[in-house]
Amino acid sequence: MSICPVNDFPSARAIISSPDFAPFSMAEAYADIARMTGLDLSASIRIMECLPPFLHGPAHHDIRRRMAARISATLPTQQAVVREGCARLVAELVIPGAEFDLVSDLAQPLWRSLSAVLIGDIAGASDGIDLADDIPVLFSSVIGLARRKSINARIESFLSLDPANVDDRRARVALAVLGARPFVGALSLSLFHAIDRHGPCRASRIPWSSTFVDTPLTYVDRVALKDAAVGPNAFQQGERVRVMTVRPDYTPDQERKLLFGLGTHACLGRSIAEFSWKHVVDAIAKTNATLHAVSLDLAKDSEPFAMPARAVLSVR
C-alpha cells in the first residue's frame, strides 16, 4: 500500500484532529505479517491492541480510560520518584570535569523508575520494564523477523506469568511503552538543544522553557475513513496518510502544538512529563555548573522516531 505524505502544518494539524481519519492499526499490520510468514506473533498483537496511538472507536476509549485511572492512582508515587530521581541523578552527574550522556545516564533511568511505578508490584515486573523499553522496536518497518520473533516470545512469557490477569498485565506494560521513546527522546533532545543554543553557559543563566521543546516523533500515520479533502490534499477512503509532526519548515510554535498530540489522542502522560521537565531543569539550574553540548548521535532504524542514541554533555 502506498503512503501519502502530508508535509504542511495546517493539513497535518487538521488530519490529526479529524474524525474522518483513524490511526493506522499496528495490530492489523502484525496480523498481516503473521499470515505472510507463518510466525506466531499473537503476543505482540495483544500488546498492539492496547496502545492508544494505534486505536480508535470504543476500544480506544476503553483502554484510555483504564490507563488514565492507573495514572491517576499512581500519580503521587510517580511525582515522588521524579523528585528523588532528578535530585539524585543531577547530583551524581553534574560534577565539574565530568562528561555524561543525557540518554543513558539521565532520561532512561528516570523513565525506568516511572515505568516501575506504572507496571507496579506484579510477577515479572522487572521483565515488564525491560519489555517496555524494547517493544517500540516493533514499530519499525525495517527490523528483521528474528528480532520480532524474539520480542514476541518475551511478551508471551511475561503475559503467561499470571494467566488470570492477562488483560491487566498487558495494559500496564503498554502504558509504560507509551513513554519509553517519547519521554526519553524529548527530555534528552530538549536538554541538549537548550544547552547547545546557549552554552557553554552557567546552567542558572540558561532561559529554560516551561516544557519540552523537542520531540523524537517525526510522523504519525492515519487512514482515511471516507473520501476527504484537507487543504490542498485529497484522499480516498482507505488511503494511508503519513502526517509529519516535525519538519524544517515548521515553526517552533507549530511543532509545540503537535508535541503532546491533539484531540482524543492527546498524550496521557503530559502531566508527569511536564512535572519531570520542571524538576530536571530546576535541579540542573541550581548546580550553577557551566555546561557544554559535546555531541549528539541519532539511533538507526528507530522510526517513527528520530531517537538520540547519545547526547553527551560536559561539565566545566
Side-chain angles (χ1 to χ4, degrees), residues 29-40:
Y30 264 76
D32 289 340
I33 294 173
R35 282 192 293 270
M36 289 186 294
T37 63
L39 292 176
D40 178 7

Side-chain angles (χ1 to χ4, degrees), residues 16-17 64 261-267:
I16 292 172
S17 305
R64 276 186 67 93
L262 298 168
T264 58
H265 285 85
C267 176

